[in-house]
């Protein structure tokens, strides 16, 4: 299924995040993270934020982390981020 | 993007709420699945603070109940609330608008005219001339032509050699420099004699220009001509010159002066009690507002301090705070013995010499005579000094002793 979507994307030149629910992540400096196609918040604390995405989890660590805006389409996180990683399973 | 959504949120209005419960993340996820947008989520321990649009608040509170979370409204805000605030506080808003207009009006006017560099010219007359060209207190600074004002001032006052008028904020700075006085020019150019300042004995005379009228050891009186402006040929010159010049030379004389004073043994000394009381006056342009209270001191010394209010360095305001510092003092009787009185007398004589004698004067002798009476010490002192005694005086062609050689020295013995 994923491969078919990728093929359609290359043929039609549509972005992947439009065709499938692949997350699109924009990081501006170490203060702003913008995530499209998320699947909700798993953990939310000022030091650690875990966002559920299609392929697993996106973990952002830092200080004073806030959710500036959240809706069905995107999450906009602000704060002072120190690390950012993807994880398949959350231990 | 985020800014546009913030503006839209403000237009729609928003509610700031706090949530307490154990399933806050789940509640948020459920809310966004139900197409509820949430803003500014600040998570604490089992609590969160967030912003929500009023239209979605009802659905959100229903969900919160489902997830056993408690909701508390902290604040309501937005354009509607702001409009309501304006309607309810119309006078407040009008006051802000009025003050903005007033500040704009006042900053468009000239409130301070600062004149520097004038020594001969009167400040009031300069201001009067400026007011004819549109520069006066409270004039519109947009209509002010500094160049024209400067030109007119220079035309009116011939002794202004340089003038600069600059506008900074609400202040106009007039800087000018005046030419030298005409009277000094006349003395510099015109022929003059050198006359004696004091009654004295001539110690030395060195003539650069003119005819010497005295010689060493001559005794002269104040006003006698020492060096004449008229050149008188002695008869030995190859080309005798008869002319009137500006006399130049150095004449030193031995001058005797007497001073006498009394030093009382019983005196009163001023002593400050340490009590200080301040009085304030606020001056706004030329109007003074007295905030003075009664001073309970019988004897006091008053010192004045004036502070001008400023906005930064280049914008002084026409508001002055004058502070009168009143220090109370009392006179305490002091008894002086003869030795202390003698020391005081000597100190006084030294101070007199320092104060009254120029630096090129040589003190030849100081003869002191001190006589003690019952209540005081009588001091008389004769100071003999050698000093420059010449003074330039304009030469007068008709009459006067300068036209007559021998008559100038009528007092020579």
């Amino acid at each position: 299924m994923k491969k078919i979507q990728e093929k359609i994307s290359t043929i039609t030149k549509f972005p992947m995040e439009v065709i499938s629910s692949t997350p699109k992540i924009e990081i501006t400096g170490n203060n702003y993270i913008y995530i499209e196609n998320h699947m909700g918040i798993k953990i939310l604390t000022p030091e650690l934020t875990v966002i559920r995405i299609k392929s697993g989890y996106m973990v952002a660590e830092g200080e004073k982390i806030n959710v500036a805006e959240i809706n069905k389409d995107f999450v906009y996180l602000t704060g002072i981020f120190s690390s950012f990683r993807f994880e398949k399973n959350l231990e | 993007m985020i800014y546009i959504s913030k503006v839209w949120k403000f237009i729609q209005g928003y509610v700031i709420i706090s949530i307490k419960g154990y399933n806050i993340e789940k509640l948020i996820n459920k809310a966004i699945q139900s197409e509820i947008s949430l803003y500014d989520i600040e998570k604490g321990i089992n609590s969160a603070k967030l912003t929500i649009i009023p239209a979605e608040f009802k659905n959100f509170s229903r969900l919160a109940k489902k997830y056993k979370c408690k909701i508390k409204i902290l604040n309501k805000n937005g354009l509607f609330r702001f409009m309501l605030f304006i309607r309810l506080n119309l006078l407040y808003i009008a006051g802000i608008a009025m003050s903005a207009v007033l500040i704009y009006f006042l900053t468009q006017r000239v409130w301070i005219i600062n004149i520097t560099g004038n020594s001969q010219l009167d400040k009031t007359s300069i201001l009067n001339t400026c007011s004819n060209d549109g520069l006066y207190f409270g004039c519109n600074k947009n209509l002010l032509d500094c160049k024209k004002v400067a030109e007119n001032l220079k035309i009116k006052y011939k002794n202004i050699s340089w003038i600069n008028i600059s506008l900074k904020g609400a202040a106009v700075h007039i800087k000018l420099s005046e030419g030298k006085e005409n009277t000094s020019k006349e003395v510099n150019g015109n022929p003059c004699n050198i006359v004696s300042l004091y009654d004295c004995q001539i110690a030395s005379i060195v003539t650069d220009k003119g005819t010497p009228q005295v010689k060493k050891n001559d005794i002269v009186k104040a006003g006698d001509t020492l060096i004449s402006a008229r050149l008188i040929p002695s008869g030995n010159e190859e080309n005798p010159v008869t002319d009137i010049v500006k006399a130049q030379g150095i004449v030193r004389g031995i001058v005797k002066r007497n001073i006498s004073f009394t030093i009382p043994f019983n005196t009163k000394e001023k002593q400050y009690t340490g009590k200080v009381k301040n009085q304030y006056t606020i001056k706004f342009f030329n109007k003074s507002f007295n905030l003075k209270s009664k001073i309970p001191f019988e004897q006091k010394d008053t010192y004045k301090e004036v502070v001008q209010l400023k906005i930064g360095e280049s914008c002084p305001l026409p508001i002055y705070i004058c502070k009168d510092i009143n220090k109370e003092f009392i006179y305490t009787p002091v008894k002086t013995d003869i030795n202390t009185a003698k020391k005081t007398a000597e100190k006084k004589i030294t101070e007199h010499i320092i104060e009254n004698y120029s630096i090129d004067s040589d003190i030849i002798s100081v003869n002191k005579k001190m006589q003690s009476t019952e209540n005081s010490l009588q001091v008389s002192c004769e100071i003999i000094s050698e000093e420059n005694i010449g003074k330039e005086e304009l030469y007068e062609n008709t009459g006067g002793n300068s036209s007559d050689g021998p008559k100038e020295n009528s007092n020579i013995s």
Side-chain angles (χ1 to χ4, degrees):
Chain A
M1 185 66 181
K2 199 179 175 184
K3 279 183 181 175
I4 296 165
Q5 282 172 342
E6 274 174 17
K7 273 182 184 174
I8 293 167
S9 173
T10 45
I11 293 161
T12 58
K13 292 185 180 174
F14 267 122
M16 270 296 283
E17 71 269 12
V18 177
I19 291 162
S20 67
S21 54
T22 312
K24 182 196 172 188
I25 300 167
E26 269 180 34
I27 301 174
T28 313
N30 66 338
N31 298 112
Y32 305 100
I33 300 175
Y34 177 82
I35 307 153
E36 275 182 29
N37 293 338
H38 69 99
M39 295 171 80
I41 294 171
K42 182 72 183 167
I43 301 166
L44 179 64
T45 63
E47 288 82 31
L48 173 79
T49 302
V50 179
I51 308 286
R52 218 161 55 194
I53 51 174
K54 198 185 169 187
S55 55
Y57 298 94
M58 188 221 84
V59 183
E61 283 176 304
E63 286 170 42
K64 298 173 190 171
I65 300 172
N66 283 336
V67 179
E69 191 173 346
I70 184 165
N71 56 32
K72 211 176 177 182
D73 302 321
F74 67 88
V75 191
Y76 192 74
L77 300 174
T78 60
I80 305 158
F81 298 101
S82 56
S83 73
F84 175 82
R85 64 181 188 274
F86 294 101
E87 279 186 17
K88 207 138 204 176
N89 297 309
L90 213 61
E91 288 169 12
Chain B
M1 174 73 182
I2 196 82
Y3 299 107
I4 295 164
S5 81
K6 272 188 178 177
V7 172
W8 181 236
K9 191 177 84 181
F10 178 75
I11 292 165
Q12 281 181 304
Y14 57 90
V15 186
I16 299 168
I17 55 170
S18 77
I19 317 163
K20 274 185 184 174
Y22 295 100
N23 302 312
I24 291 170
E25 281 93 348
K26 282 181 184 173
L27 171 66
I28 291 167
N29 288 337
K30 193 69 189 170
I32 55 175
Q33 276 170 23
S34 313
E35 300 199 344
I36 295 170
S37 295
L38 304 171
Y39 306 89
D40 302 325
I41 305 169
E42 285 173 34
K43 181 85 194 314
I45 305 158
N46 297 328
S47 69
K49 195 176 128 186
L50 55 90
T51 307
I52 190 166
I53 292 162
E56 293 168 349
F57 178 71
K58 208 175 176 182
N59 289 338
F60 186 78
S61 57
R62 207 176 292 149
L63 283 173
K65 264 184 190 174
K66 210 174 168 182
Y67 283 89
K68 292 176 183 172
C69 291
K70 281 184 180 176
I71 292 178
K72 195 181 170 187
I73 296 171
L74 299 175
N75 199 5
K76 293 172 188 172
N77 220 332
L79 186 65
F80 179 74
R81 296 273 307 175
F82 183 66
M83 297 289 276
L84 196 70
F85 172 80
I86 289 173
R87 257 175 74 180
L88 294 173
N89 301 281
L90 206 63
L91 270 175
Y92 177 71
I93 304 299
I96 290 172
M98 281 273 285
S99 58
V101 171
L102 203 67
I103 287 168
Y104 177 76
F105 174 77
L106 291 175
T107 51
Q108 297 303 305
R109 307 270 143 185
V110 171
W111 295 116
I112 294 154
I113 301 172
N114 189 14
I115 302 169
T116 50
N118 60 317
S119 55
Q120 299 161 39
L121 291 171
D122 185 29
K123 206 172 172 181
T124 327
S125 63
I126 294 172
L127 285 173
N128 286 339
T129 314
C130 290
S131 66
N132 295 336
D133 298 320
L135 172 58
Y136 50 87
F137 289 109
C139 71
N140 190 342
K141 67 181 186 183
N142 297 322
L143 303 173
L144 185 66
D145 187 356
C146 291
K147 206 176 170 184
K148 189 184 152 197
V149 178
E151 275 171 7
N152 286 347
L153 273 174
K154 212 174 170 190
I155 290 164
K156 190 169 180 189
Y157 301 105
K158 300 288 178 199
N159 57 341
I160 293 175
S161 57
W162 172 85
I163 186 162
N164 172 265
I165 300 178
S166 58
L167 180 70
K168 276 183 187 173
V172 170
H173 300 276
I174 303 175
K175 291 176 191 168
L176 56 95
S177 72
E178 293 167 352
K180 283 182 182 173
E181 283 180 37
N182 291 332
T183 49
S184 63
K185 273 182 188 172
E186 278 173 21
V187 170
N188 285 342
N190 289 348
C192 60
N193 294 322
I194 289 180
V195 297
S196 175
L197 276 168
Y198 318 107
D199 295 356
C200 63
Q201 187 182 9
I202 303 295
S204 67
I205 176 163
V206 179
T207 311
D208 293 336
K209 253 184 194 178
T211 312
Q213 300 296 317
V214 289
K215 57 184 186 294
K216 196 181 171 183
N217 296 331
D218 281 353
I219 290 169
V220 292
K221 281 187 176 174
D224 286 350
T225 306
L226 304 171
I227 302 170
S228 171
R230 195 187 230 188
L231 296 176
I232 304 161
S234 62
N236 299 328
E237 295 91 347
E238 283 182 7
N239 302 311
V241 180
T242 311
D243 201 1
I244 295 162
V245 293
K246 188 192 167 199
Q248 280 178 3
I250 298 165
V251 187
R252 287 178 76 82
I254 296 163
V255 187
K256 272 184 197 174
R257 287 188 188 90
N258 290 309
I259 55 162
S260 55
F261 53 89
T262 312
I263 294 174
F265 293 135
N266 297 313
T267 52
K268 280 180 178 177
E269 202 174 58
K270 205 189 225 183
Q271 229 173 17
Y272 287 102
T273 58
K275 287 179 185 172
V276 180
K277 190 144 191 187
N278 299 331
Q279 289 177 314
Y280 294 93
T281 310
I282 295 169
K283 205 175 162 190
F284 183 70
F285 287 110
N286 294 327
K287 286 191 176 177
S288 297
F289 301 96
N290 243 333
L291 306 174
K292 283 182 180 174
S293 55
K294 275 189 179 178
I295 302 293
F297 309 147
E298 279 182 20
Q299 291 167 316
K300 61 181 189 321
D301 274 344
T302 307
Y303 306 94
K304 281 197 171 183
E305 271 181 20
V306 180
V307 179
Q308 188 177 11
L309 297 186
K310 287 177 183 176
I311 303 171
E313 272 304 306
S314 59
C315 188
L317 299 171
I319 304 164
Y320 300 87
I321 298 169
C322 307
K323 185 180 172 187
D324 291 350
I325 304 163
N326 298 291
K327 288 184 178 177
E328 191 194 29
F329 66 82
I330 48 163
Y331 283 113
T332 48
V334 179
K335 209 167 186 182
T336 318
D337 62 337
I338 190 154
N339 289 330
T340 320
K342 277 181 182 175
K343 276 182 189 173
T344 314
E346 275 175 10
K347 201 178 166 188
K348 228 173 176 179
I349 292 164
T350 315
E351 276 173 4
H352 172 83
I353 290 168
I354 292 166
E355 213 169 279
N356 295 297
Y357 286 79
S358 63
I359 203 154
D360 60 348
S361 302
D362 297 325
I363 304 297
I364 296 167
S365 67
V366 180
N367 300 319
K368 289 168 268 183
K369 273 182 191 171
M370 296 189 195
Q371 219 171 12
S372 169
T373 60
E374 198 181 328
N375 295 323
S376 62
L377 182 75
Q378 304 279 346
V379 185
S380 60
C381 179
E382 187 190 64
I383 304 164
I384 302 170
S385 66
E386 192 191 307
E387 56 193 86
N388 284 335
I389 55 158
K391 185 189 96 177
E392 284 182 350
E393 195 180 79
L394 275 172
Y395 176 82
E396 287 168 10
N397 206 14
T398 51
N401 56 4
S402 58
S403 58
D404 260 316
K407 275 182 188 174
E408 287 171 358
N409 296 325
S410 55
N411 47 7
I412 294 173
S413 55

